[in-house]
Amino acid sequence: MRVATSVAELDTLRTALLADSSPRPHLAFVPTMGALHEGHLSLVRLARGVADLVVMSIFVNPLQFGPNEDYARYPRTLEVDLARAEKAGVDVVFTPSVAEIYPAGRQVSVNAGPIGDLLEGASRPGHFDGVLTVVLKLLNIVRPDIAVFGRKDAQQLACIRRMVLDLNLETAVVGAPIIREADGLAMSSRNRFLSPSERASALVLNGALRAAEGATTPTEALAAAERVLAEAVVSGEVVLDYVTVVNAATMAAVPDDHTGPALAMVAAKVGTTRLIDNVELTFPEPDLGDGEAAPSDVG
């Protein structure tokens, strides 16, 4: 495994390594902020299965943190991360400095638009502008055929897909399944900040989402999730930001007559740690009963 700390180093390595590639998609990219866990490594395995070369970036992006957020204390474990990346089969790790990614005098950023103002964007103004700015820069630097992102950050994935579509980027975006601990907690680099009691309280987030599964309408799903959350919220164990059922592409709340796929999403603080999670739902067509005509058949 090679490590590049500058754009020039990465470009040299990319050129040399691609010279020996096969006809399959040449290069898959896994962008991360480090503090690697099994969720990140699952992205590498997916990338390894579809491309000849895998590039991972490790960069804690200051633009996506608000002034009162945890940029300073975000875990930085580079040596451990490099060992895990190599074991997982990464070919090149890109570990740029902030100055390398954002040189002095930088003026232009990406605006996420309306999709970036909802949910996480409402709670963290400017967050997705920072995410998309760094992702666009990294895609232009790495020039991958495929980029792999985890579905746990569902709104981030939706914003990136929208950016790739709207800006005519050639990279294919792949969403990878959420990886969970044995007890259901979604893996996150921030989980290490939870005390044992907070860790136990955090399980209510996944419990609420699981309660929404099997519901026949969005209203029913939301009510089921809220019932599970209620006790933890009232006791103060969990400070709820939102729980909602949305369209996975637009992040807009779905109407109660919605049928087909949707996402149940939750965000909350447990102690001082902000956690997010989501689960895919499918709402069935209404059962009209024997002999009852559908509205389109009447008239």
Side-chain angles (χ1 to χ4, degrees):
M1 188 182 76
R2 315 289 183 85
V3 177
T5 60
S6 70
V7 174
E9 282 181 277
L10 179 64
D11 195 53
T12 298
L13 285 173
R14 184 186 185 282
T15 300
L17 290 169
L18 283 178
D20 298 323
S21 63
S22 75
R24 292 198 309 162
H26 295 320
L27 196 158
F29 178 43
V30 179
T32 81
M33 294 205 299
L36 302 183
H37 52 66
E38 181 57 29
H40 297 112
L41 302 182
S42 74
L43 307 184
V44 174
R45 287 192 292 272
L46 191 158
R48 184 86 267 164
V50 297
D52 297 319
L53 297 171
V54 176
V55 174
M56 172 187 281
S57 62
I58 296 176
F59 177 68
V60 183
N61 175 35
L63 261 61
Q64 68 192 68
F65 290 82
N68 299 313
E69 294 184 342
D70 58 353
Y71 174 70
R73 76 163 186 156
Y74 194 88
R76 292 160 171 84
T77 56
L78 183 58
E79 293 306 314
V80 174
D81 290 346
L82 292 177
R84 289 178 176 171
E86 184 168 27
K87 186 175 180 180
V90 174
D91 295 290
V92 178
V93 178
F94 181 42
T95 61
S97 65
V98 172
E100 183 72 12
I101 295 296
Y102 301 122
R106 179 189 68 86
Q107 297 184 44
V108 177
S109 296
V110 178
N111 184 303
I115 193 174
D117 293 333
L118 303 169
L119 303 174
E120 291 297 290
S123 298
R124 307 174 67 188
H127 171 69
F128 289 112
D129 295 350
V131 169
L132 294 188
T133 297
V134 78
V135 169
L136 181 58
K137 287 177 72 71
L138 290 169
L139 292 179
N140 285 333
I141 291 166
V142 177
R143 289 168 287 150
D145 300 289
I146 296 165
V148 184
F149 297 86
R151 291 180 190 159
K152 183 178 79 70
D153 296 298
Q155 189 172 5
Q156 172 179 282
L157 179 60
C159 287
I160 291 167
R161 289 191 192 280
R162 189 75 242 180
M163 178 180 72
V164 167
L165 176 66
D166 288 352
L167 300 186
N168 301 100
L169 305 182
E170 295 184 358
T171 301
V173 175
V174 176
I178 298 171
I179 303 299
R180 300 183 180 277
E181 304 284 359
D183 57 11
L185 184 68
M187 289 190 177
S188 169
S189 299
R190 290 184 169 92
N191 288 351
R192 68 188 64 201
F193 296 139
L194 298 169
S195 70
S197 63
E198 290 168 349
R199 174 86 172 54
S201 296
L203 297 179
V204 75
L205 273 65
N206 182 243
L209 296 176
R210 294 304 176 194
E213 293 181 314
T216 58
T217 68
T219 296
E220 182 184 323
L222 188 57
E226 288 174 337
R227 282 194 297 272
V228 172
L229 288 163
E231 184 177 346
V233 170
V234 169
S235 70
E237 297 173 54
V238 169
V239 179
L240 183 65
D241 185 349
Y242 59 79
V243 58
T244 186
V245 181
V246 303
N247 179 303
T250 66
M251 293 290 114
V254 297
D256 200 44
D257 61 355
H258 174 81
T259 59
L263 279 182
M265 299 179 62
V266 63
K269 270 195 171 182
V270 183
T272 61
T273 304
R274 193 169 192 278
L275 301 174
I276 60 173
D277 200 354
N278 69 84
V279 68
E280 296 178 359
L281 304 178
T282 301
F283 296 106
E285 296 284 345
D287 183 1
L288 300 176
D290 294 338
E292 185 176 343
S296 59
D297 296 332
V298 177

